[in-house]
Each structure stands twice: as C-alpha cells, then as structure tokens.
Amino acid sequence: MHFRIKSCERMLGLRGHRPPWAWVLLLVPCLLPLLLSAAPAPHRASYKPVIVVHGLFDSSSTFRHLLEFINETHPGTVVTVIDLFDGRQSLRPLWEQVQGFREAVDPIMAKAPEGVNLICYSQGGLVCRALLSVMDEHNVDTFISLSSPQMGQYGDTDYLKWLFPTSMRSNLYRICYSPWGQEFSICNYWHDPHHDDLYLNASSFLALINGERDHPNATAWRKNFLRLGRLVLIGGPDDGVITPWQSSFFGFYDANETVLEMEEQPVYLRDSFGLKTLLARGAIVRCPMAGISHTVWHSNRTLYDTCIEPWLS
C-alpha cells in the first residue's frame, strides 16, 4: 500500500504533462483500493433458529453430536434442545407433553420473525406434528421428522418389552385401547391394524392428529398444519425400532400386514390433515437411509449431511 501511495504521488506531479482524460485513468488504480477498504463487508444472512425435540427415554444430552454438526456447517445458528419430559417422564401422555413443549417453543418463535426450523426425533416427531396442528400462529419453516412413527407403531421392541413384559404386539391392544393404557405415551400411537375400530374409538392422540376421527378442531388443525413450509421425512429399513419402518414416511400396514405407502393411506387420499396438499405443492421431502439403527440417527454425520443440513435455511 505504501508503494502504491508513492506511485500516486508521482502521478500527481505529472499532471501538467497529461490531458484530463489520461489523468482520470491514472487515478483509478490509486483510488480503487481505498474505496474497497472503506466499503462495508457484505452482510451474511443469519440462519433460522433450530428447535430440537427428543424422543422416548431421551434427554437434551442425546443431541451433542447433532449440535456439533450444526455449529460446524451453520455457525451462529441458535439451537435449543427442549429439556422437558426427560427419561421416564417421556412416558407421560402425549397431549400433556404437547402442552409443555408448546409453552417452551412459544417464546422462541416470538423472537424469530423469519421463522424457525424443527428437528424432532422418534416420539418427538409426533409431539411436533401435534404442535403444528394446535398452534394457530406457528412460524415453522421446515419440520424435520427424524425416524418418527408418524402413522403409528405396531412392533415388539425392547421398549415395549420393558414396559409391558407380559404382552406381545398381538394382544397389546387390550391394554393400549383402554383408558388406563392411554395414560402412556406409547399407547397414544399404538396402531393395531387388526383392530382398526378399537383404534379409532380409543386413540386419544394419533387418531385425532391424523384426522381419522371427527372432532370440532379438525378444520382449524389442518389449516395450522398447512402453515408449514416444508416437511422432511427421514427413516430407513435398518431402524430396528419403528415398525413398520415405513411409518416414518406415513406408510403403514393394512389388515394383512402389507405395507401401504403414504399415497395409499386413507388419511392421504382424504387429505384429512393436509398431507396431499403439502405433496402437491412440493413441500414434502423423503430421505430414506439404509444401515442406520434407531439410536444413532441424530449422531450419524452422513445422515446429517444428506438429509438435515440442506434444509436448515
């Protein structure tokens, strides 16, 4: 820079020997560096805040790897892992959990006029979908459903064996479709394809947010859900917990235990809560990943880079 200034001084001394147009040309290389150094740095748009909701028997500490990934790829992003209903408290009825999480996310959304993104894992994906239904003024841009039983669960897992050690999936409906059973979160989305009438009549949560049973808030909930900008569905055949694994993509068993994909489900065909509308406007992204077991979805870097990072606007 010092050399450039001295050169400009020499040019100034030659003014009388050059025509005016040449003088202007000589000044350009002198003034350009000064102008560039004085110009403000370009403004980089900030990333939308991210809200993370955990799953069954989890806590906020489960997501330390996910937080590291987001901080590395999208530095400066405000990430909040809601620390509610941890551990065994995650067995509380889902409507109770929805109310608690709603109180927690309300102030975060209020401080984010450009919107927020949700990453909701396993059972937490159902909590988040209910939040999108009941919150009239939510401003969620992208809802990432991470290996969540969106159409319900019908499988013998270690979780179920621990909670109901004497029951198998074939007879668990006797417990889950009772008033006592509906006090457990797992039973709120237990979906027995062989007892559809009992499910529709007894389910106090999943049948309602799916719009499978009439209720006075159905129209308002559908309208709220459709405020969503984008729905990203993530799951895979090696999950080992979500049964069938296609439930993560709104697929589920028929009465013969044949899996029907989302587009074949009555809730889609009737567009009961907005799935068909979302798909028609290109707002549903499906990201299947093989080779990932249920407990590591949130800590797998390849999964993050492929299915999560591109949507954290």
Side-chain angles (χ1 to χ4, degrees):
M1 178 63 77
H2 179 73
F3 174 78
R4 185 176 289 121
I5 292 173
K6 290 296 183 182
S7 299
C8 291
E9 289 175 348
R10 287 195 293 271
M11 291 176 190
L12 289 172
L14 296 174
R15 180 176 182 181
H17 301 282
R18 296 181 182 274
W21 60 265
W23 171 243
V24 172
L25 291 176
L26 285 170
L27 277 179
V28 170
C30 299
L31 296 177
L32 188 59
L34 297 175
L35 292 172
L36 290 176
S37 64
H43 175 69
R44 187 189 70 184
S46 59
Y47 296 107
K48 294 181 176 67
V50 174
I51 301 171
V52 181
V53 176
H54 67 72
L56 188 66
F57 298 131
D58 288 328
S59 67
S60 58
S61 63
T62 305
F63 298 94
R64 60 187 182 279
H65 295 296
L66 179 63
L67 267 62
E68 291 171 1
F69 300 158
I70 296 174
N71 185 60
E72 179 184 333
T73 61
H74 289 189
T77 301
V78 177
V79 184
T80 305
V81 184
I82 307 297
D83 196 15
L84 288 174
F85 300 100
D86 295 353
R88 294 189 181 189
Q89 288 300 307
S90 63
L91 288 169
R92 299 295 303 161
L94 285 185
W95 282 123
E96 180 181 329
Q97 296 192 45
V98 169
Q99 181 57 35
F101 281 105
R102 179 177 185 173
E103 293 172 2
V105 304
D106 257 334
I108 301 173
M109 292 183 180
K111 295 178 183 177
E114 299 301 317
V116 302
N117 295 319
L118 292 180
I119 302 176
C120 309
Y121 168 60
S122 194
Q123 178 178 278
L126 290 168
V127 172
C128 288
R129 184 150 69 91
L131 285 172
L132 294 172
S133 299
V134 302
M135 297 183 73
D136 295 336
E137 301 298 329
H138 79 76
N139 60 351
V140 177
D141 179 46
T142 297
F143 165 32
I144 299 175
S145 173
L146 184 57
S147 186
S148 176
Q150 291 292 353
M151 276 298 289
Q153 170 78 3
Y154 185 66
D156 294 320
T157 66
D158 291 339
Y159 297 134
L160 286 174
K161 291 174 183 176
W162 176 82
L163 188 60
F164 305 113
T166 62
S167 298
M168 301 294 287
R169 70 174 189 169
S170 60
N171 60 22
L172 191 58
Y173 74 93
R174 300 179 189 276
I175 296 174
C176 280
Y177 296 158
S178 69
W180 174 79
Q182 288 293 302
E183 292 299 311
F184 292 91
S185 63
I186 293 176
C187 287
N188 291 160
Y189 50 93
W190 186 253
H191 190 174
D192 189 327
H194 305 293
H195 298 90
D196 201 50
D197 288 343
L198 289 176
Y199 159 74
L200 292 175
N201 289 325
S203 175
S204 62
F205 183 83
L206 185 61
L208 295 182
I209 66 171
N210 277 354
E212 295 173 285
R213 191 169 81 224
D214 291 335
H215 60 91
N217 296 314
T219 300
W221 287 7
R222 184 180 183 279
K223 180 180 178 181
N224 293 341
F225 184 73
L226 288 173
R227 291 175 60 88
L228 179 64
R230 183 186 299 110
L231 172 61
V232 178
L233 302 172
I234 302 172
D238 303 304
D239 180 273
V241 171
I242 306 301
T243 311
W245 70 267
Q246 293 92 337
S247 182
S248 296
F249 298 93
F250 288 97
F252 205 71
Y253 294 128
D254 64 10
N256 297 317
E257 295 193 27
T258 299
V259 174
L260 303 180
E261 301 298 336
M262 179 181 75
E263 288 87 347
E264 302 173 278
Q265 294 294 327
V267 297
Y268 174 87
L269 296 171
R270 296 196 305 266
D271 205 18
S272 58
F273 65 94
L275 273 183
K276 191 173 184 178
T277 298
L278 281 182
L279 188 65
R281 72 183 192 211
I284 295 181
V285 177
R286 284 174 273 203
C287 193
M289 291 284 287
I292 301 178
S293 62
H294 189 71
T295 57
V296 297
W297 284 103
H298 41 69
S299 57
N300 185 287
R301 183 56 189 258
T302 301
L303 179 280
Y304 171 80
D305 290 339
T306 305
C307 300
I308 297 178
E309 188 276 334
W311 311 112
L312 298 182
S313 55

